[in-house]
């Protein structure tokens, strides 16, 4: 097995702020309702960008969601105005009594980014599953208002391709273990078990990625990213030769990816963590309604 590690230093995330932000997001979605043409409308009457209900009842098990298709040129403004105008009426009247009818035949086949909601219990868990033909993904979040664990599974293949184009993966983040790890004294040894683990399997190889945090003396976090790769079955000798020549690019790729993620993390925390209460809730709502505008800040 080839093993690569890299450690980055990032700004520490306050647990109280994280749980406040998670709770605000869950509450915004929990109080949303179905709007015109399957749009998902927040309590203030604004529609969540790029999302619509294709089938079923909003926030009920079996509800199917997908992307909003691009409007024809010249019609985007008119359609957006119609959604905004009807949003208040939809909130006043409440959700429909029966299942929502598929929009423009969308319920008959999964949309490009369609997913089905398996469970919506904000005090216990949220589960969703992708309906994309080429890629299957499921997500489970435990105790969403004060997140304790995240589980993600993924399986993909290229349409028309053979087994060489198939892969699967599974990721787990034990947030309780993460907070326990960063609450240690800086002089204490790192956690023996990484709180975040991602495993990927391909016909030719297996990979395992882990994240292990440790507090630094200045209050920041030092996160060690470790990647292990090995060939499978009779291909192990071939894989060992390939990894020998690919070691440099893999090490460089891991280092650049970790440093890029750390820089983005620090930027986001500098912008968001000063916000609390109504200001934080408003910022999250704005990001749901206009994600492109949020990214441009």
């Amino acid at each position: 097995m080839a093993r690569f590690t890299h450690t980055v230093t990032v700004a520490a995330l306050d647990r109280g702020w994280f749980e406040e932000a998670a709770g605000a997001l869950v509450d915004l979605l929990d109080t949303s309702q179905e709007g015109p043409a399957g749009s998902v409308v927040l309590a203030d009457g604004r529609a969540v960008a790029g999302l619509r209900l294709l089938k079923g009842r909003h926030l009920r098990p079996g509800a199917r969601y997908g992307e909003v298709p691009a409007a024809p040129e010249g019609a985007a403004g008119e359609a957006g105005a119609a959604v905004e105008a009807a949003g208040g009426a939809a909130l006043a009247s409440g959700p429909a009594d029966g299942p929502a009818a598929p929009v423009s035949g969308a319920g008959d086949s999964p949309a490009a980014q369609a997913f089905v909601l398996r469970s919506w219990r904000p005090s216990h868990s949220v589960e969703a599953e992708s309906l994309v033909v080429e890629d299957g993904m499921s997500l489970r979040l435990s105790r969403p208002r004060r997140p304790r664990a995240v589980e993600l599974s993924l399986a993909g293949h290229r349409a028309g391709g053979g087994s060489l184009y198939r892969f699967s993966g599974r990721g787990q983040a034990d947030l309780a273990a993460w907070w326990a790890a960063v609450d240690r004294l800086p002089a204490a040894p790192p956690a023996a078990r990484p709180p975040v683990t991602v495993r990927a399997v391909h016909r030719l190889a297996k990979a395992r990625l882990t994240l292990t945090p440790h507090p630094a003396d200045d209050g920041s976090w030092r996160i060690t990213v470790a990647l292990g790769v090995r060939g499978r079955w009779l291909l192990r000798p071939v894989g060992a030769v390939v990894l020998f020549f690919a070691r440099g690019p893999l090490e460089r790729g891991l280092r650049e990816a970790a440093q890029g993620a750390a820089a983005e993390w620090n930027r986001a925390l500098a912008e968001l963590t000063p916000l609390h209460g109504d200001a934080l809730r408003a910022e999250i709502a704005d990001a749901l309604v206009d994600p492109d505008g949020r990214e441009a800040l």
Side-chain angles (χ1 to χ4, degrees):
M1 173 187 283
R3 181 175 171 82
F4 312 93
T5 63
H6 185 69
T7 300
V8 293
T9 300
V10 300
L13 173 63
D14 179 72
R15 182 175 184 175
W17 183 92
F18 171 72
E19 293 179 348
E20 180 186 1
L25 174 59
V26 171
D27 288 342
L28 283 167
L29 295 176
D30 196 43
T31 55
S32 66
Q33 297 190 30
E34 180 190 350
S39 60
V40 176
V41 183
L42 299 181
D44 62 8
R46 295 183 296 168
V48 175
L51 183 68
R52 66 171 175 171
L53 179 66
L54 303 179
K55 193 173 183 179
R57 298 188 65 182
H58 181 49
L59 295 184
R60 298 291 180 87
R64 182 180 297 184
Y65 299 86
E67 290 183 329
V68 176
E73 201 167 319
E78 187 176 327
V83 169
E84 290 292 336
L91 289 174
S93 61
D97 293 333
V103 181
S104 302
D108 299 331
S109 61
Q113 296 295 329
F115 69 92
V116 62
L117 187 67
R118 296 301 184 193
S119 172
W120 180 264
R121 296 181 293 169
S123 298
H124 185 266
S125 65
V126 171
E127 297 181 45
E129 180 180 346
S130 168
L131 294 177
V132 180
V133 175
E134 292 81 6
D135 301 287
M137 183 180 73
S138 64
L139 172 70
R140 186 176 191 275
L141 179 62
S142 299
R143 301 194 180 279
R145 286 196 170 94
R146 299 184 65 183
R148 293 187 58 84
V150 180
E151 298 177 20
L152 177 70
S153 63
L154 179 68
H157 70 279
R158 194 171 78 178
S163 59
L164 289 178
Y165 295 94
R166 297 177 183 272
F167 70 92
S168 64
R170 186 174 185 85
Q172 295 178 314
D174 185 339
L175 299 182
W178 182 282
W179 296 120
V182 297
D183 282 343
R184 293 166 173 250
L185 293 174
R193 186 176 180 181
V196 178
T197 302
V198 179
R199 292 180 173 86
V201 178
H202 183 267
R203 181 182 175 185
L204 302 180
K206 289 183 177 182
R208 182 174 183 263
L209 178 73
T210 63
L211 303 180
T212 305
H214 191 264
D217 291 330
D218 61 359
S220 60
W221 292 348
R222 290 178 56 80
I223 300 179
T224 298
V225 184
L227 173 65
V229 183
R230 71 176 181 182
R232 300 185 68 193
W233 303 316
L234 297 177
L235 296 172
R236 286 186 182 181
V238 177
V241 174
V242 173
L243 288 171
F244 175 80
F245 290 103
R247 188 173 190 89
L250 282 173
E251 286 181 326
R252 184 166 55 254
L254 178 66
R255 181 174 63 252
E256 291 175 354
Q259 291 175 347
E264 183 62 25
W265 170 279
N266 291 335
R267 184 191 67 80
L269 257 62
E271 291 181 359
L272 295 175
T273 51
L275 301 177
H276 289 277
D278 291 341
L280 177 59
R281 183 185 178 90
E283 181 72 9
I284 296 173
D286 289 345
L288 290 173
V289 173
D290 184 15
D292 292 336
R294 178 67 189 81
E295 290 171 2
L297 292 178

